[in-house]
Amino acid sequence: MEKTDVKRLSLIDSIRGITIISMILYHFCWDLVYILGFNLQWFFEREALIWEQSICMSFIVISGFCAAFSKHTVTRGVKIFILGIIITIVTSLIIPENVIYFGILTLIGSAMFFTGVFKKALIKIPSVLGVVLFFLLFVVTYKTGMGNLQFFGKKLIELPRFLYRNYFTTYLGFKHEGFVSSDYFPIIPWMFLYLCGFYISRIVLNEIEKGKKFCVLEKRIPIFDIIGRHALIIYMLHQVVLYLISYVLMMFFHYYDMI
């Protein structure tokens, strides 16, 4: 089955492209609030948090989904992990007040590397079981950074404090005291969501091997599918462009005493 040829699932590119646009809009609002000082009260409400989480979750699930189709997951994982390190270095030098440690690229790079190395073992787990198992693990460990395991808001157990020790444990998901990052996606719980995407794609692949058609997944949404295919480079450059726009706007508003 691993050699099954499938057409490019353009709808996945399109969904990724829509998510990229949503991310850019969210980050522009972030810049308006934290750089230009706009009082966007709704940005601190639950709805904005849901918006942010929907973007992150979409990226992670899609990345996991695509891992099942990739032939060079380990190599790509290393490259993306290195890009995550570059983002940490750049943000620490240019905007140290908003430095990024263990951001989403670090997570996705790690998850891709893990999936590539252990793919033979992972595919032995039945696909439906994999989706259910790793979704439950994601739900239970979602609040690990707060020191406990929960199940849809109900606290299950407190985790021992010795787990929350340093940057390595923070990378794993046990955030040490005083840690601050503008974009933080540790291995736990987010690796489990990534693996949900991986096993969803396995279900699709199983059905394709049985001869079933998934024509809807081959449909493309013009413009968005192109954006989705270039998601990584857009991600790397978008905040630079947004910062430039924000500073130009800030200079304009200050010149005319508008803020």
Side-chain angles (χ1 to χ4, degrees):
M1 185 181 134
E2 294 307 306
K3 297 181 180 179
T4 301
D5 292 324
V6 296
K7 294 181 179 179
R8 187 176 185 94
L9 304 181
S10 295
L11 184 62
I12 302 301
D13 289 325
S14 301
I15 294 172
R16 189 192 288 115
I18 292 170
T19 306
I20 279 282
I21 297 299
S22 181
M23 176 197 70
I24 291 172
L25 292 173
Y26 178 85
H27 283 164
F28 184 62
C29 291
W30 191 96
D31 292 347
L32 289 177
V33 172
Y34 291 101
I35 294 179
L36 292 178
F38 275 62
N39 184 22
L40 303 181
Q41 191 57 43
W42 62 267
F43 196 71
F44 301 96
E45 303 294 336
R46 184 179 181 183
E47 289 77 10
L49 177 62
I50 292 173
W51 181 18
E52 179 206 21
Q53 292 292 287
S54 71
I55 296 167
C56 304
M57 290 181 180
S58 297
F59 274 132
I60 293 168
V61 171
I62 290 171
S63 296
F65 186 96
C66 293
F69 298 89
S70 176
K71 297 179 181 179
H72 307 288
T73 312
V74 172
T75 303
R76 285 179 56 80
V78 171
K79 291 178 180 177
I80 291 176
F81 186 88
I82 291 172
L83 289 177
I85 294 174
I86 291 172
I87 285 180
T88 296
I89 295 170
V90 171
T91 55
S92 65
L93 294 174
I94 298 177
I95 46 171
E97 68 278 10
N98 293 313
V99 63
I100 294 174
Y101 295 108
F102 312 128
I104 195 165
L105 290 187
T106 305
L107 165 72
I108 291 176
S110 301
M112 292 179 73
F113 182 84
F114 174 87
T115 303
V117 171
F118 296 102
K119 191 171 185 178
K120 289 183 179 179
L122 290 171
I123 62 177
K124 292 181 180 179
I125 300 175
S127 300
V128 174
L129 175 62
V131 173
V132 174
L133 172 64
F134 287 107
F135 177 74
L136 289 175
L137 285 172
F138 173 71
V139 170
V140 170
T141 61
Y142 186 70
K143 296 292 185 179
T144 299
M146 298 178 64
N148 57 71
L149 301 180
Q150 298 185 10
F151 187 73
F152 291 108
K154 183 177 180 180
K155 188 181 294 187
L156 300 177
I157 60 171
E158 290 285 339
L159 295 171
R161 294 310 304 170
F162 71 80
L163 293 174
Y164 301 78
R165 301 179 60 180
N166 50 45
Y167 276 95
F168 179 69
T169 63
T170 299
Y171 162 73
L172 293 179
F174 308 103
K175 184 169 60 174
H176 73 270
E177 187 175 354
F179 174 78
V180 177
S181 175
S182 293
D183 185 39
Y184 175 52
F185 288 90
I187 298 301
I188 299 172
W190 298 104
M191 173 80 83
F192 300 135
L193 189 63
Y194 178 94
L195 289 172
C196 284
F198 174 80
Y199 282 106
I200 290 171
S201 70
R202 297 289 304 170
I203 293 173
V204 173
L205 283 171
N206 286 334
E207 295 303 311
I208 289 175
E209 188 178 60
K210 293 175 184 177
K212 293 187 178 181
K213 301 292 185 180
F214 286 85
C215 296
V216 66
L217 293 178
E218 296 172 10
K219 300 293 184 181
R220 60 183 290 268
I221 302 176
I223 307 299
F224 291 110
D225 66 318
I226 297 173
I227 294 172
R229 291 185 186 188
H230 299 88
L232 182 58
I233 190 166
I234 293 173
Y235 177 85
M236 293 294 293
L237 296 177
H238 84 282
Q239 195 62 288
V240 175
V241 175
L242 289 179
Y243 272 123
L244 290 174
I245 293 172
S246 297
Y247 279 113
V248 169
L249 288 174
M250 185 168 61
M251 291 172 62
F252 174 82
F253 289 141
H254 277 303
Y255 182 80
Y256 288 100
D257 292 326
M258 295 175 67
I259 59 173

